[in-house]
Each structure stands twice: as C-alpha cells, then as structure tokens.
Amino acid sequence: STSTEAIRATLFPGDGIGPEIAESVKQVINVAGVPIEWEEHYVGTEVDPRTQSFLTWESLESVRRNKVGLKGPMATPIGKGHRSLNLTLRKELGLYANVRPCNSLPGYKTRYDDVNLVTIRENTEGEYSGLEHQVVKGVVESLKIITRQASLRVAEYAFHYAKANGRERVSAIHKANIMRKTDGLFLQCCREVAAKYPEIKYEEVVIDNCCMELVKDPGTYDVLVMPNLYGDIISDLSAGLIGGLGLTPSCNIGEGGICLAEAVHGSAPDISGKNLANPTALMLSAVMMLRHLRFNDQADRIHNAILRTIADGKYRTADLGGKSSTSDYTKAVCGHI
Amino acid sequence: STSTEAIRATLFPGDGIGPEIAESVKQVINVAGVPIEWEEHYVGTEVDPRTQSFLTWESLESVRRNKVGLKGPMATPIGKGHRSLNLTLRKELGLYANVRPCNSLPGYKTRYDDVNLVTIRENTEGEYSGLEHQVVKGVVESLKIITRQASLRVAEYAFHYAKANGRERVSAIHKANIMRKTDGLFLQCCREVAAKYPEIKYEEVVIDNCCMELVKDPGTYDVLVMPNLYGDIISDLSAGLIGGLGLTPSCNIGEGGICLAEAVHGSAPDISGKNLANPTALMLSAVMMLRHLRFNDQADRIHNAILRTIADGKYRTADLGGKSSTSDYTKAVCGHI
Ligand SMILES: CC(C)[C@H](C(=O)O)[C@@H](O)C(=O)O
Ligand SMILES: CC(C)[C@H](C(=O)O)[C@@H](O)C(=O)O
C-alpha cells in the first residue's frame, strides 16, 4: 500500500532500552511520513496463563490481527518456570522464518568490508523442540525434531526471498554427514524447492566449514538457509562480521503472512533509561517492516539516512565508540531523511 | 622420556595427500633427532567386520599398544553403509577430548593477529550419538546425549590442560538457555570441576554470543571447553581466524592415556601425489605429540623452525599463496631445526 490511509501495526517496545529505541523508531517513521498507527503492548509483570509467559494474550492477538509488528528486546527472567518470551512469540505466532540481512556498513569499519549476505533460519523446531529428559541418573537427552513441513516452508521462503531480492545463490547449511536423518531431511526439502528455481544457484555447505569460510571470506556467501540452532549461531557470527547485533536488523515471517520485525540484541539494563542506547538495529528492522508493507520509498529514505549518519561519524552512540545520546543520533538520522 | 631408546608410535598416513605429508613429518622428526620408530598402518580397501570400516582392527590395536600416534586425513566414501573412519577411531579408542590450539602465526597475515586460544571438544557423545529415527513419515528426530561421566571427563581435561599450560581462564560454551537439561548437565559438570581449580578463572558463554565475540575480538578467549557439535563448529571457526585447517594442529586424548595427534584438514585428492600439499598442520600436530612424550626441546625446535619458515615466506605451498613444493618447504623447515 502507498495510500495515506493509516496502517495499524503492533509495537512491543520490550524491556530495558526497548522503550527508548522504540521512541526513536517512531520518530523516524513519522518524519518519513509513513502513516503508521501503533498499537503498543508492553511485556506484562504477571504471567498470563494462556501464554505461560509475561507476554499477554492480547499482545499476541494484536499481531494476529494487524499481521505486522515491531519488537524491541525482551529479557526473560531465568528459572521461574515460565516460558521464554521470544520462544512464546515464535510458537504462538508460527514465526517460521527468521530473516537477517547482514551488510557491511560503509563508514563503520570492521575487519570485513564486503559482507552482503542474508541468513534465513528455521525458527520453530529442530534443537528448540523443548523435548528433553533424564534417561537415567547422569544421562540426559534432548530431541532435535526436523519435519518435512517446516523444512519445506522455510526453504520455500528462502528461494522466494532470493528471487524477489535479486539474489543469485542459496546455500543450505547442515551437518548431514553426522545427522544423516534429520539434517538429511532438511537438505532433501531444500533440494526439492531448489528444483523449482532453476535461476537460483543452490549449494550445500557443512556448518563447520561454513563458519570457517565466513571468517575467511564472507563475500562468497549470498542467501543461507538452515535449521534453527545453526541459524542462531550463524546469524550472530555474521552480525559480528559487520559490528554486532546493535547494527543488524531482523524480521520474522509467520503463519498467515505475519511479519514481525525485531532487534535481536539484548535489553541492556545497565544503560536503560539513560538516553545512551543505540536504536540502529531496531530502525533497520523497521525498514524491513516498511518494505514488507511496500513503503519502499520511505524505507529507502530511512535506510539511507541511517547509513549516512553512521558514515558521517559525528553522531555515534557509545557502543560504536561515539559520544552521542540516543536522541541526538535519532535527530541526526531524522535530519537526513 | 628424553632417553634415546626408540619410542614406538603408530602412524596412519591416511588418504590423498596423507602419505606425502606424513613423509615430511618423518623427515623433520628425524632431523630433530627424536628416536621414534613408526608403526605404519594404511586405511584398508575392504571393510573390516570388526570395525565396520576401512580401518582395520590391527591398526587400532597398534594405537592401543603404543598409546601414541599420528594421523593424516581420512576420507570416508559416503553412503556405503559402513562407519566413518574418524568416528570409528573416536569410538574404538575412546578419544574423549579433541584439543586444538589456535595461534596467530607471525608472518602469515590474516585479519587477526592476536588469536591465542585452545578449543577442547567433547568427542564421543552429544549430537554425534548416531541415534536417529523417523517418528512418522515426514518427522525425524536425532538424540543428543549428554552424560555426567563424559562431561566431567572433558571438563577435568580442560582444567588440567589450562593449569599445565599456564592458561588463565576456561570458558564453557553452551546453549543451556534452550537445552536446559543436556547443556545444563554439561555446565553443572564444568562448575564442579572449576571449583577444584580456584586459580583458573571460569566463565560460561552462550554459543551464538561466543561466535560473535570470536569474530569481533578473539583475543579475549583462552581455553574453551564444550560439547561435541559446538566444538566441531568453534574449532573450525577459530582455525579460519588464523588461516584455515592447513595451519592448525589437533590432538585427541583417549582412554588409558592415548594421545592421537591428527591433521583435521581434508585429503585433497585433487592435488594428491603432486608434491603440492602443505604438511604444516600435520607437522604441528606431531609437535603436540612430541610434547605429550616430553620431547619438549625437540618439539620447540621443530615448532620454531616451522614458524620461521612461514615467516620467511620464501618457501610457501600454493594454499598459502606460494609456489613451493611439499618437499622444498619440508627441506626449508629441516634447515631451520
Ligand atoms: C535469547 C535466545 C533464546 C534466542 C535464541 O536462541 O533463539 C536468541 O539467541 C536469538 O537468536 O533470538
Ligand atoms: C569429518 C567429520 C565427521 C568431522 C566431525 O564432524 O567431527 C570433522 O568435521 C572434524 O571436525 O573432525
């Protein structure tokens, strides 16, 4: 849609620095003139029995209804017998693909300057099944579950994404030389989908080898698709190549066309409320959300404004070695839109 | 032992380039004056029913008897219904810890110059259990098994190693926020052992975060200990930081005090027999074997000769961008001993 009728989108500012960086995002989206009406939902202080977590059922209903949302960091207090907020979201909303583009930022120097890849992670099963038990004392097991349905779905998404974004190659990451059946099924599904996209190159890379190549020569990778845990690992590794989670956007694709963009960094309680947080990852995630809504012009303008502000180097938050406050950095980005 | 009585050690030259690089190692050990008598065993051409692999029972008996050995690359033909050679070795010899020191090589430039870490990988269980099955059509599962016994054993080894080698810190790598029971048990074992080594710092790092930190700032890591698959991934990633598997040594510690050093790179069939292979990883692995045998002087001399040859840069094999043959490079190393 490019009409001016307002689009309703859910906003989970999240914990810690979440509310501050969400404020920044609202500002830049405003300045870019995107008519978004936010439905804000805060992480609760009591466990909702329907979600078994601090995330309320109403929050989830909001995303289900709007089909689009933006999420800040959510810290899950450990060992309280309730579900992780992030896992609750993935499960309840059927967020089957986590998409993380990872591009070297001109102007923010790291050891790498040619990273231009996208990790697409299966987000619902695999090593995250939650199925674990003690067999006998001193012997425990976890189940990794791979299904044809979830593997096909994420593979379809990866190839669809590659084609829609002018990408040339999809690499399926696996350890099928060891987990022949589970990762073997995942690969088989990728191959079936690959056969329907003759214009996209397809390859299979063992995860250990992939990690070695990523640190030696990340420029050789394009789109990577993989089971849950490998995605967790490789997306963070890739983020590290360009400067860390404070600079990398992410977006989750869910059942029924849901798109939930999210910053995957932590809630940084130590600097929360001090106007020191870096809102870049959440801004870039919002850009992904805008592209999903086909506000491509506005997305481009915000994206370029962020890149320019970072390249300028005058307004940088402390995590990037600068001295800017969150609000000054945000103002600078707004100024470039 | 520093006597001149010959030590019997098993040698598996392995496949592909294995015999050539094993030849180089024999030469440098000879020149350094270490009295090793090699018992050579080749990978078979027929499956031995007792090992279910191309590795013969006699070869395994040789290591069990000598308690020390050196192994080149072994390629496992895929999908022939027999066991992987590497897994057979780990299983039959109870190789419970895989130790891979990873140090930036002065003179061989990569993006990193301050890598000085050691990965210690549990090598017998975890995601490598081999237990997998189809639950119903389209649904498969793999079992990850973590035992108190194997976790304690590798943790003990890691702390022992740290202390014996003047290391300051052991980091246990895990994903216990997701796999609470399996990785949780692994961590609990590490904590128990850590309590016995108050002089060694102990920390726990989530694997995704660890990979990100390794690419951003590997200099912050010292000794890392972890379950099987994480070790597979992180040891290759670390090798990538300093130039790849052609430059990184490895050694396996097994039941009854076995030490089996090995080059973990592939058998490179494309260049095999052409006098082009890089014997560095196998030479450095042999150095680890010599230290295990307490030929510390000779180990130092060989190690320094390798470093000097690489730093010189005059004799480098093709994989490092040079034009040297295996034998010229080996001669250069011998010249520096
Ligand atoms: C916080 C944690 C449960 C989560 C995960 O493992 O998926 C995080 O690492 C991520 O990548 O979103
Ligand atoms: C070849 C393969 C089975 C092996 C493993 O996964 O352990 C290799 O990657 C290694 O690290 O030795």
Side-chain angles (χ1 to χ4, degrees):
Chain A
S1 164
T2 45
S3 82
T4 50
E5 213 186 300
I7 306 279
R8 293 186 77 80
T10 304
L11 179 63
F12 297 133
D15 293 315
I17 57 172
E20 300 162 66
I21 60 177
E23 201 42 58
S24 298
V25 170
K26 285 196 269 183
Q27 280 176 35
V28 300
I29 286 193
N30 227 355
V31 170
V34 193
I36 297 244
E37 201 171 300
W38 297 104
E39 264 180 43
E40 278 191 42
H41 286 269
Y42 281 84
V43 174
T45 53
E46 309 235 336
V47 171
D48 183 321
R50 289 163 299 177
T51 64
Q52 290 175 53
S53 85
F54 290 111
L55 200 68
T56 63
W57 190 254
E58 285 69 31
S59 319
L60 295 174
E61 279 300 316
S62 168
V63 186
R64 290 195 189 103
R65 203 172 43 240
N66 297 326
K67 293 207 183 307
V68 63
L70 183 68
K71 169 192 171 288
M74 291 182 184
T76 299
I78 289 180
K80 294 265 172 66
H82 49 73
R83 263 210 228 138
S84 141
L85 295 166
N86 289 307
L87 296 195
T88 303
L89 272 170
R90 290 175 202 169
K91 184 149 195 131
E92 296 290 350
L93 301 175
L95 302 177
Y96 61 83
N98 176 245
V99 184
R100 295 207 209 166
C102 205
N103 294 289
S104 294
L105 294 169
Y108 185 70
K109 219 177 129 49
T110 69
R111 292 178 162 93
Y112 301 85
D113 56 14
D114 59 345
V115 183
N116 176 11
L117 59 86
V118 184
T119 58
I120 298 186
R121 164 185 181 184
E122 200 293 319
N123 218 14
T124 65
E125 57 177 32
E127 307 79 356
Y128 284 61
S129 71
L131 300 168
E132 294 188 288
H133 71 280
Q134 178 175 297
V135 183
V136 295
K137 204 168 174 332
V139 180
V140 286
E141 63 183 34
S142 303
L143 266 58
K144 165 170 170 170
I145 311 281
I146 297 284
T147 67
R148 188 169 157 75
Q149 195 211 349
S151 305
L152 280 176
R153 193 166 55 172
V154 74
E156 288 282 4
Y157 187 81
F159 278 91
H160 162 83
Y161 179 97
K163 189 169 179 178
N165 290 276
R167 297 273 181 175
E168 285 181 8
R169 188 160 34 106
V170 171
S171 311
I173 313 304
H174 69 96
K175 190 79 193 177
N177 48 340
I178 295 298
M179 281 161 280
R180 295 182 188 207
K181 293 194 182 165
T182 46
D183 285 5
L185 175 57
F186 184 82
L187 287 185
Q188 190 191 306
C189 293
C190 290
R191 281 174 210 157
E192 286 178 30
V193 177
K196 298 194 288 177
Y197 288 83
E199 69 278 29
I200 308 280
K201 282 183 211 123
Y202 171 68
E203 65 171 4
E204 296 169 357
V205 187
V206 179
I207 179 157
D208 45 339
N209 191 28
C210 176
C211 289
M212 185 166 67
E213 288 185 350
L214 277 172
V215 302
K216 286 180 75 172
D217 192 8
T220 60
Y221 283 100
D222 195 344
V223 175
L224 298 89
V225 63
M226 58 222 129
N228 212 337
L229 181 67
Y230 309 154
D232 182 51
I233 294 170
I234 290 195
S235 58
D236 272 27
L237 188 168
S238 303
L241 301 173
I242 67 148
L245 295 180
L247 295 170
T248 45
S250 148
C251 144
N252 297 285
I253 305 300
E255 277 159 14
I258 285 176
C259 167
L260 181 65
E262 70 172 329
V264 289
H265 55 65
S267 57
D270 49 321
I271 59 161
S272 128
K274 297 190 177 149
N275 197 19
L276 291 172
N278 182 359
T280 306
L282 196 63
M283 286 181 182
L284 291 170
S285 302
V287 167
M288 290 182 79
M289 188 190 91
L290 295 182
R291 289 199 208 284
H292 173 84
L293 293 170
R294 303 203 188 288
F295 287 111
N296 288 328
D297 272 10
Q298 292 92 330
D300 285 346
R301 280 164 55 213
I302 297 175
H303 195 183
N304 290 333
I306 296 168
L307 293 184
R308 231 203 278 172
T309 309
I310 290 175
D312 265 13
K314 247 201 331 223
Y315 296 96
R316 274 187 189 168
T317 46
D319 57 315
L320 302 186
K323 293 183 169 175
S324 258
S325 64
T326 309
S327 47
D328 284 347
Y329 171 77
T330 304
K331 240 180 262 159
V333 173
C334 288
H336 283 306
I337 289 175
Chain B
S1 161
T2 44
S3 82
T4 50
E5 212 186 298
I7 306 278
R8 293 186 77 81
T10 304
L11 178 63
F12 298 133
D15 293 316
I17 57 171
E20 300 162 65
I21 61 178
E23 199 43 57
S24 298
V25 170
K26 285 195 269 184
Q27 280 176 38
V28 299
I29 286 193
N30 226 355
V31 171
V34 193
I36 297 246
E37 202 171 298
W38 297 103
E39 264 180 43
E40 278 192 42
H41 287 268
Y42 281 83
V43 173
T45 53
E46 309 233 337
V47 172
D48 183 320
R50 288 163 300 177
T51 63
Q52 290 175 53
S53 85
F54 291 111
L55 199 70
T56 63
W57 191 253
E58 285 69 32
S59 319
L60 295 175
E61 279 300 317
S62 168
V63 186
R64 290 194 189 103
R65 202 171 44 240
N66 297 326
K67 294 206 183 305
V68 64
L70 183 69
K71 168 191 171 289
M74 291 182 183
T76 299
I78 289 179
K80 295 267 172 65
H82 49 73
R83 264 212 228 137
S84 141
L85 296 166
N86 289 306
L87 297 195
T88 303
L89 271 170
R90 291 175 202 169
K91 182 147 198 134
E92 297 290 350
L93 301 174
L95 302 177
Y96 61 83
N98 176 246
V99 183
R100 295 207 209 164
C102 205
N103 295 288
S104 294
L105 294 169
Y108 185 69
K109 219 177 130 45
T110 69
R111 292 178 163 93
Y112 301 85
D113 56 15
D114 59 345
V115 183
N116 177 11
L117 59 86
V118 184
T119 59
I120 298 186
R121 163 184 182 185
E122 201 292 320
N123 218 13
T124 65
E125 57 177 31
E127 306 79 357
Y128 285 62
S129 71
L131 299 168
E132 293 188 289
H133 71 281
Q134 179 175 298
V135 183
V136 295
K137 204 166 175 330
V139 180
V140 288
E141 62 182 36
S142 302
L143 266 58
K144 164 170 170 170
I145 310 281
I146 298 285
T147 67
R148 188 169 156 76
Q149 196 211 350
S151 305
L152 280 176
R153 194 167 54 174
V154 74
E156 288 282 4
Y157 187 80
F159 279 91
H160 162 84
Y161 179 97
K163 188 169 179 177
N165 289 277
R167 296 274 180 174
E168 285 181 7
R169 188 160 34 106
V170 171
S171 311
I173 313 303
H174 69 96
K175 190 77 194 178
N177 47 341
I178 295 298
M179 280 161 280
R180 295 181 188 207
K181 293 194 181 166
T182 46
D183 285 6
L185 175 57
F186 185 82
L187 286 185
Q188 189 190 306
C189 293
C190 289
R191 282 174 209 158
E192 286 178 31
V193 177
K196 298 194 289 178
Y197 289 83
E199 69 279 27
I200 308 279
K201 283 186 213 121
Y202 171 68
E203 65 171 5
E204 296 169 357
V205 187
V206 179
I207 179 158
D208 44 341
N209 190 30
C210 176
C211 289
M212 186 166 66
E213 289 187 348
L214 277 172
V215 301
K216 286 181 76 173
D217 191 9
T220 60
Y221 282 101
D222 195 344
V223 176
L224 298 89
V225 63
M226 58 223 131
N228 212 337
L229 181 67
Y230 309 153
D232 182 51
I233 293 170
I234 289 195
S235 59
D236 272 27
L237 188 169
S238 303
L241 300 173
I242 67 148
L245 295 180
L247 294 171
T248 45
S250 148
C251 146
N252 298 285
I253 305 300
E255 276 158 16
I258 284 175
C259 167
L260 180 64
E262 70 171 329
V264 289
H265 56 65
S267 59
D270 49 321
I271 58 162
S272 127
K274 296 188 177 152
N275 198 18
L276 292 172
N278 182 1
T280 306
L282 196 64
M283 285 181 183
L284 290 171
S285 302
V287 167
M288 289 182 80
M289 187 190 91
L290 295 183
R291 290 199 209 283
H292 173 85
L293 293 170
R294 304 202 186 286
F295 287 113
N296 289 327
D297 273 9
Q298 293 91 331
D300 285 345
R301 280 165 53 213
I302 297 175
H303 195 183
N304 290 333
I306 295 168
L307 293 184
R308 230 202 278 174
T309 310
I310 290 174
D312 264 13
K314 241 191 350 209
Y315 296 96
R316 275 190 187 165
T317 46
D319 58 315
L320 302 185
K323 293 183 168 176
S324 258
S325 64
T326 309
S327 46
D328 284 347
Y329 172 78
T330 305
K331 240 180 260 158
V333 173
C334 289
H336 284 305
I337 291 176

